[in-house]
Amino acid sequence: MEIRVLRYFLATAREGSITGAANFLHVTQPTLSRQIRALEEELGQQLFIRKSHRVVLTMEGMLLRKRAEEILSMVDKTEAEFSAMEGTISGDVYIGGGETEAIKLIAEIAKELRDLYPGVHYHLYSGNAQDVTERLDKGLLDFGILIQPADISKYDYIRLPAEDIWGVIMRRDSPLARKEYIEKSDLLNVPLICSRQAIAPRQGENKFSDWFGEDFEKLNIVTTFNLVYNATIMVEAGIGYAVTLDKLANTTESSSLCFRPLIPKLMSGLDIVWKKYQIFSPAAELFFNKLKERFADSLIY
């Protein structure tokens, strides 16, 4: 039983399809299918139930998944220990996420590791939940920071000890700036600038549309965005009011813009997620271990 084939097996179990696993592993679908069949023949057991567009683990497959995870974990740990003997660990960590103040928590960990391992570099990708999970599924990211609610059923995750407050960014000379809070009725007759996540079409995909309720379709959304900086430029130009999260733009007293929270209060939690059965690079493994150490009470598999 080869280590490489066990990795193929776990990738197939994780992706739930031969096609998805082959894409992730950068091998052809026939090659992967042959390797899985050879493994089944070697063990004398059927590991997957083949369906039209997906595969499902059999009971024997579930047992092998558990054993394979244990075996590969030990192999990777051993390799990492011997690599550490050769010199300082270096490499790249890829993190994607929506704009959120919670990135400060990630920055603290990155700074701590950079002090110990200056050869570790970080690459940040900004996008909404769909953008991030798509890149995560393709293996282009090691970790994703998702603003709740988001579908995290395919991932292991840590719930970060932070929450973002929803509200509206506006010019200080706008009529609504006189208010301490923004109610639903205030938003019905003004042009709005909304993040694409805030106007997701299906109920339960975001908190803002669910918060607003049945009159959501009556809103006058004139512009959408995925980066708050660009949205603030539109607000400054007088195009409309930006529905977004607090502390992502300069709304201090010296700014021409201000932030007013929604009432009833609307808040979103955050999760940092990674693919189940993920095999990390040494640099990403360092980051992962520090995450677990920092947020041990919030770790969920």
Side-chain angles (χ1 to χ4, degrees):
M1 191 183 305
E2 296 182 32
I3 296 300
R4 173 178 53 84
V5 177
L6 287 181
R7 295 195 193 279
Y8 285 2
F9 166 76
L10 285 182
T12 305
R14 179 188 65 225
E15 299 295 332
S17 79
I18 295 292
T19 301
N23 290 337
F24 175 77
L25 295 165
H26 304 293
V27 300
T28 65
Q29 186 174 337
T31 296
L32 180 57
S33 295
R34 284 195 300 272
Q35 295 286 353
I36 296 298
R37 282 197 299 271
L39 181 59
E40 290 177 320
E41 291 172 3
E42 180 182 353
L43 295 174
Q45 299 289 344
Q46 181 179 357
L47 302 175
F48 292 102
I49 298 172
R50 276 78 169 173
K51 300 191 176 182
S52 55
H53 296 293
R54 61 192 181 96
V55 293
V56 179
L57 284 170
T58 62
M59 291 296 294
E60 294 79 7
M62 292 180 192
L63 174 61
L64 180 61
R65 180 180 67 183
K66 185 176 187 307
R67 294 290 180 258
E69 289 171 354
E70 294 170 352
I71 292 168
L72 292 178
S73 176
M74 182 58 68
V75 168
D76 293 334
K77 185 174 185 297
T78 302
E79 289 178 348
E81 288 171 347
F82 276 88
S83 294
M85 295 176 187
E86 296 176 359
T88 302
I89 293 177
S90 62
D92 302 287
V93 181
Y94 296 84
I95 305 170
E99 293 179 293
T100 169
E101 191 188 22
I103 195 68
K104 289 181 179 179
L105 299 174
I106 305 305
E108 291 171 2
I109 294 175
K111 173 62 167 60
E112 186 175 340
L113 288 178
R114 279 280 300 167
D115 290 342
L116 295 172
Y117 304 97
V120 174
H121 301 274
Y122 297 88
H123 305 273
L124 304 180
Y125 171 82
S126 295
N128 59 27
Q130 181 179 347
D131 299 329
V132 171
T133 54
E134 182 177 333
R135 295 179 73 86
L136 200 62
D137 291 343
K138 290 179 178 178
L140 301 176
L141 297 174
D142 297 309
F143 304 94
I145 302 171
L146 303 181
I147 299 171
Q148 300 169 11
D151 182 5
I152 56 176
S153 59
K154 295 192 300 182
Y155 310 104
D156 291 324
Y157 66 96
I158 291 173
R159 187 139 291 171
L160 295 174
E163 285 189 307
D164 284 327
I165 298 173
W166 285 83
V168 182
I169 292 177
M170 62 195 76
R171 287 169 49 142
R172 289 191 180 275
D173 59 1
S174 64
L176 291 184
R178 303 187 190 100
K179 303 194 63 172
E180 187 175 354
Y181 299 97
I182 300 301
E183 303 173 83
K184 297 177 186 179
S185 58
D186 296 325
L187 301 178
L188 280 171
N189 299 308
V190 297
L192 296 180
I193 301 168
C194 292
S195 70
R196 284 190 276 279
Q197 185 167 339
I199 58 172
R202 293 189 295 275
Q203 186 177 21
E205 287 192 350
N206 70 81
K207 287 196 171 182
F208 175 68
S209 62
D210 294 342
W211 173 87
F212 202 88
E214 60 184 13
D215 290 332
F216 181 76
E217 296 299 327
K218 297 179 182 179
L219 293 176
N220 180 24
I221 299 173
V222 298
T223 305
T224 64
F225 67 91
N226 68 339
L227 293 175
V228 173
Y229 177 79
N230 293 335
T232 60
I233 299 298
M234 307 294 272
V235 175
E236 288 178 332
I239 292 174
Y241 296 76
V243 178
T244 184
L245 304 174
D246 194 10
K247 299 182 180 179
L248 300 183
N250 179 15
T251 55
T252 60
E253 291 297 327
S254 62
S255 171
S256 62
L257 303 178
C258 61
F259 178 89
R260 297 292 182 264
L262 300 175
I263 190 168
K265 183 179 287 187
L266 179 62
M267 304 184 74
S268 288
L270 300 115
D271 299 310
I272 183 163
V273 307
W274 58 95
K275 296 184 76 170
K276 291 181 183 290
Y277 324 120
Q278 176 76 14
I279 305 301
F280 292 117
S281 67
E285 184 75 22
L286 277 175
F287 183 83
F288 178 55
N289 289 335
K290 184 58 68 174
L291 273 178
K292 291 191 294 183
E293 176 186 320
R294 182 70 61 87
F295 308 118
D297 294 338
S298 303
L299 180 61
I300 301 177
Y301 285 108

